[in-house]
Amino acid sequence: MDHDSTDHPKSPSKARRGSQSDLPPQDLTAADVDPATSAAEEDDEGRLPEAPEESAEAIAEGPLAVGHAAIENAVRLAPTSPGVYRMLNAGSDVLYVGKAKNVRKRLASYARVNAPLPARILRMIAATVTVEIVSTTTETEALLLEANLIKQLRPRFNVQLRDDKSFPYILISGDHWAPQILKHRGAQTRPGRYFGPFASAGAVNRTITALQRAFLIRSCTDGFFESRTRPCLLYQIRRCSGPCTREIDFPGYSELVREANDFLSGRSHAVKKLLASEMEKASTELEFETAALYRDRLAALSAIQSQQGINPRTLEEADVFAIHQEGGYSCVEVFFFRTGQNWGNRAYFPRAEKSFTPEEVLASFLAQFYDDKPPPKLILLSHEIEESSLLADALCVKAGYKVEVSVPKRGEKKELVAHALTNAREALGRKLADTATQSRLLEGMATTLALPQVPKRIEVYDNSHIQGTNAVGAMIVAGPDGFIKNQYRKFNIKSEGLTPGDDYAMMREVLERRFKRLLKPPEGDAAKAKADDDSFPQWPDLVIIDGGRGQLNAVREIFEGLGLTQVSLMAVAKGPDRDAGRETLFMPDREAIKLEPRDPVLYFIQRLRDEAHRFVIGSHRKLRKKDIREAGLQEIPGIGPSRKRALLHHFGTLKEIERASIADLGKVPGVSAESARKIFEFFHAQPG
């Protein structure tokens, strides 16, 4: 896939004042919507599968013997060549689809009566009454056929992908003198150039919106285009160059289309360099309106390249897969990189029993994933899978070019896999939290922590700062219905004479400001209303803080000073090396509590702690970014006027410089690797 961008429109010949401000039909629902806030057309993260079954069926001696007999009968007739076998139950439902280099040998492994097999396999054998076999010429063909049959038949004992949505592409049409840019799914039969795949409709929509702002290519239908007598609203808001009414001539529009094709083909550096030089030239000639147009186009291109926060420096084309398992479920996160740019990611939740290892789930997932999709030339994985070379050979046969499947050990490729793995972990966490029964978790928490009652309101506190600057505290609230976000509060730390970085003093200020309001008794009708109120309480039943025994004792002293006795208190200390799942819980006058890593109550507490951390970090960064925008780039050590000018020429705006990665900053002329690191750390310094 090509990806590139360049120049400006051959400035539209004339702007018609008072033109009709209607939109093309497809833009009526999303006219100039900010890409960051627009809703995606689809849910990129699928639903969790039904809870995997444990040993629900008793493995009676009779049925297991019947299954062994059926498989032994199939072994006698099975070929010694590659093929695919299907195990069926009494109702002719397919239980399992497998492939083998030697079908007879593989089936014989199931037929051994005393073989130590997992409970899942024993249940499958017990339910089997018939085995069907299809021979193939090669093991590669067997792998492709197996993946196809699993997707069609959805056997109970296989890993199932459960997501057949096609990926969207960007199409720049080639059947009209003024090509159109649009989102496309399905067969690629219309003339033009296709760029993709993108992870979701939302990713395509955001990219198309930015491309319109950068290259001013029309998005309207041919019928709408032909009927125009005046430019539509997209021309007025600078998202189209107006070819319908000849606001731009044919050579000028063709140049814009060429630039868009170049950008999407990967030749973006030359395009951005040209835009920057044109912006500088227009500014020097005091044509500030033209310079502003180039600036906006440059910012639009930077926005595309900074999407998802990570773009590879040396990788042109690859798909990255990472798998994470938690609570009996699996999440596979897929990132798509084309022409050196990130074209989005999607989380999948394949159906698989708990006994499947991450490697087994990932191997089966990959074969099904590429059953109806063209693979890239490089596939990066988080886990080593068996028969990775066989999968690569199968994809080579399918695609017609060499495909490499590998698990990177170092460098940028390893970083991309680690990034995908983090996203997989977070995506599964969100899904588990969303689908868990909140009341059951609260009851489990009350039992595990020996609370006097099931908590109806839980408050979690955290604070954030960088060397004492922009200090902010935050409170998040959870109850029977999950997180109660309209009850969240942030506290700008106001105490004078506060020692920078004094977490205890900051927590004291936050808690005193929070509870002094509650301790002030209501008067008159308000008091009666509160006494009769059975709705969500204002007083917490449990307060959680991030920290260990020291933080707990400090907060306990604060509570005693305020006279708070009816509120339970708990501190959550991170595990060794900050490992999730190894936290220690501290409560007053009790021994430290350590729960099993897969305990649902521990997972719930982790989610509460992480949500508080997310909220307080976001509040801190808003304050910090406000200071940064007021101070400007000159506050960064070692960044003088020349480098500041180079950065603004390259990215267009300060906001895009904030979004840039270290690699993107290092591409700016005159900015060394060390300077790029300083600039990045200035904008992304981790608060305490």
Side-chain angles (χ1 to χ4, degrees):
M1 312 304 162
D2 307 11
H3 198 135
D4 187 65
S5 91
T6 54
D7 224 45
H8 56 294
K10 306 299 182 186
S11 39
S13 48
K14 38 186 182 287
R16 302 187 178 179
R17 305 292 179 187
S19 60
Q20 183 178 344
S21 296
D22 45 354
L23 279 169
Q26 69 270 34
D27 288 313
L28 290 175
T29 59
D32 201 32
V33 177
D34 183 353
T37 58
S38 61
E41 290 183 8
E42 62 188 60
D43 180 12
D44 289 344
E45 295 177 8
R47 60 183 174 82
L48 282 174
E50 296 78 11
E53 298 182 18
E54 298 293 337
S55 54
E57 303 172 32
I59 306 172
E61 197 171 311
L64 189 57
V66 170
H68 277 133
I71 295 173
E72 285 173 355
N73 186 55
V75 169
R76 288 193 292 269
L77 303 174
T80 57
S81 59
V84 173
Y85 56 92
R86 287 174 286 180
M87 296 184 174
L88 287 72
N89 64 9
S92 297
D93 300 317
V94 178
L95 299 171
Y96 182 77
V97 174
K99 62 105 178 69
K101 185 176 182 179
N102 184 324
V103 177
R104 179 181 296 177
K105 187 175 180 180
R106 176 62 57 82
L107 289 177
S109 68
Y110 293 119
R112 290 195 291 270
V113 176
N114 296 320
L117 298 172
R120 168 177 59 88
I121 301 299
L122 294 176
R123 294 201 307 274
M124 179 184 72
I125 294 172
T128 300
V129 297
T130 308
V131 179
E132 295 180 350
I133 299 170
V134 178
S135 295
T136 60
T137 306
T138 64
E139 192 179 5
T140 297
E141 290 181 16
L143 176 63
L144 296 174
L145 178 59
E146 177 197 36
N148 184 271
L149 290 175
I150 291 173
K151 291 189 71 173
Q152 285 185 26
L153 303 173
R154 299 188 178 280
R156 173 184 164 190
F157 289 97
N158 283 98
V159 174
Q160 296 176 20
L161 175 56
R162 304 182 323 114
D163 190 323
D164 295 325
K165 290 195 293 287
S166 62
F167 289 104
Y169 284 72
I170 286 178
L171 166 64
I172 297 181
S173 64
D175 53 2
H176 194 280
W177 76 265
Q180 169 195 11
I181 187 168
L182 69 158
K183 178 178 63 185
H184 179 87
R185 285 188 189 270
Q188 299 180 1
T189 55
R190 183 176 177 181
R193 298 189 65 178
Y194 295 84
F195 302 94
F198 286 79
S200 66
V204 171
N205 292 338
R206 289 190 293 272
T207 303
I208 288 178
T209 298
L211 288 171
Q212 285 180 280
R213 290 172 174 155
F215 300 110
L216 310 179
I217 299 177
R218 71 178 180 98
S219 59
C220 59
T221 63
D222 291 349
F224 184 86
F225 178 91
E226 300 296 344
S227 67
R228 298 302 302 167
T229 58
R230 297 178 180 176
C232 70
L233 180 60
L234 291 181
Y235 173 78
Q236 304 294 343
I237 62 175
R238 294 184 177 178
R239 278 179 54 184
C240 180
S241 55
C244 55
T245 55
R246 306 305 189 271
E247 307 303 316
I248 185 172
D249 57 17
F250 174 74
Y253 191 78
S254 297
E255 179 68 11
L256 289 178
V257 173
R258 183 192 65 77
E259 293 167 0
N261 278 311
D262 284 349
F263 183 84
L264 287 170
S265 299
R267 295 182 288 277
S268 60
H269 181 70
V271 174
K272 294 181 70 176
K273 184 177 180 180
L274 180 59
L275 282 175
S277 65
E278 292 291 346
M279 181 176 68
E280 176 73 17
K281 179 181 176 183
S283 178
T284 303
E285 295 174 357
L286 304 183
E287 296 178 2
F288 298 117
E289 187 172 344
T290 303
L293 177 62
Y294 287 122
R295 179 202 63 201
D296 294 342
R297 295 183 62 197
L298 191 60
L301 297 183
S302 295
I304 297 173
Q305 293 182 313
S306 64
Q307 263 180 20
Q308 308 293 338
I310 180 171
N311 290 299
R313 300 180 296 276
T314 60
L315 199 63
E316 280 295 312
E317 176 181 318
D319 287 348
V320 179
F321 293 82
I323 183 169
H324 178 70
Q325 290 185 329
E326 184 90 45
Y329 295 97
S330 301
C331 174
V332 178
E333 189 81 26
V334 188
F335 275 79
F336 303 95
F337 295 98
R338 299 292 185 273
T339 66
Q341 298 179 30
N342 183 354
W343 282 3
N345 58 295
R346 180 184 291 183
Y348 290 88
F349 302 94
R351 185 185 184 279
E353 291 196 4
K354 289 183 178 181
S355 58
F356 281 105
T357 65
E359 292 79 7
E360 290 172 329
V361 174
L362 187 58
S364 184
F365 176 90
L366 287 167
Q368 296 176 58
F369 184 83
Y370 288 114
D371 177 59
D372 57 356
K373 302 175 185 70
K377 294 179 181 178
L378 177 62
I379 297 172
L380 301 177
L381 308 180
S382 62
H383 293 67
E384 289 280 2
I385 62 172
E386 287 188 21
E387 301 177 333
S388 60
S389 59
L390 176 63
L391 176 65
D393 291 342
L395 295 179
C396 289
V397 170
K398 186 179 179 65
Y401 49 79
K402 184 179 179 181
V403 177
E404 179 186 353
V405 179
S406 68
V407 178
K409 303 299 183 185
R410 64 181 67 85
E412 184 184 42
K413 295 176 182 177
K414 176 69 173 178
E415 293 173 6
L416 294 176
V417 171
H419 181 72
L421 190 58
T422 299
N423 278 264
R425 186 182 302 112
E426 292 175 353
L428 184 55
R430 288 191 294 270
K431 285 299 173 185
L432 288 172
D434 290 343
T435 55
T437 303
Q438 196 80 359
S439 59
R440 191 164 61 229
L441 289 171
L442 293 172
E443 290 170 1
M445 176 179 277
T447 302
T448 302
L449 303 179
L451 300 176
Q453 61 184 9
V454 176
K456 292 180 67 176
R457 179 186 179 104
I458 300 173
E459 293 182 359
V460 188
Y461 293 86
D462 200 356
N463 56 52
S464 178
H465 61 92
I466 294 180
Q467 296 180 347
T469 63
N470 301 118
V472 62
M475 171 190 81
I476 67 107
V477 182
D481 296 323
F483 293 119
I484 317 296
K485 296 197 174 183
N486 62 359
Q487 301 268 334
Y488 286 15
R489 297 291 182 269
K490 65 177 180 179
F491 304 83
N492 293 329
I493 305 300
K494 301 175 181 178
S495 296
E496 296 182 2
L498 187 71
T499 303
D502 189 343
D503 289 333
Y504 292 166
M506 285 187 277
M507 185 61 70
R508 175 181 295 278
E509 178 180 337
V510 169
L511 292 174
E512 287 180 348
R513 285 167 58 184
R514 160 65 178 147
F515 286 101
K516 279 182 177 178
R517 289 178 186 161
L518 288 179
L519 289 168
K520 188 176 181 180
E523 300 177 358
D525 294 338
K528 185 177 186 303
K530 279 191 174 292
D532 297 336
D533 188 9
D534 193 35
S535 62
F536 190 64
Q538 295 301 308
W539 273 97
D541 300 302
L542 175 64
V543 166
I544 299 176
I545 58 171
D546 187 11
R549 182 73 72 180
Q551 283 84 351
L552 177 75
N553 292 334
V555 174
R556 186 181 183 183
E557 289 179 9
I558 296 170
F559 275 26
E560 290 174 351
L562 295 172
L564 301 178
T565 58
Q566 73 275 35
V567 179
S568 298
L569 180 62
M570 182 175 71
V572 183
K574 298 180 179 66
D577 300 321
R578 307 176 75 88
D579 283 348
R582 302 177 66 186
E583 286 84 355
T584 303
L585 312 180
F586 296 96
M587 300 187 73
D589 303 322
R590 291 177 57 182
E591 293 293 326
I593 303 170
K594 289 189 74 71
L595 302 179
E596 291 296 322
R598 292 195 173 212
D599 192 311
V601 172
L602 177 60
Y603 183 78
F604 181 50
I605 293 170
Q606 291 169 357
R607 287 287 299 154
L608 293 171
R609 189 264 321 274
D610 293 345
E611 173 67 2
H613 190 63
R614 179 201 66 80
F615 182 61
V616 75
I617 290 295
S619 301
H620 169 85
R621 283 177 175 162
K622 286 180 182 178
L623 288 177
R624 179 167 168 76
K625 283 187 176 181
K626 181 181 177 182
D627 286 354
I628 288 172
R629 291 192 177 99
E630 290 173 354
L633 292 174
Q634 58 268 30
E635 291 297 314
I636 307 176
I639 304 301
S642 297
R643 284 179 177 168
K644 176 181 176 181
R645 191 179 306 113
L647 287 164
L648 290 173
H649 284 175
H650 187 85
F651 293 102
T653 66
L654 181 61
K655 186 175 183 180
E656 294 304 326
I657 297 174
E658 292 178 24
R659 292 177 177 175
S661 66
I662 295 178
D664 291 336
L665 291 166
K667 295 176 182 177
V668 179
V671 176
S672 65
E674 180 63 17
S675 297
R677 184 186 61 79
K678 288 181 179 179
I679 296 167
F680 183 85
E681 289 178 351
F682 181 79
F683 288 112
H684 301 276
Q686 288 298 317

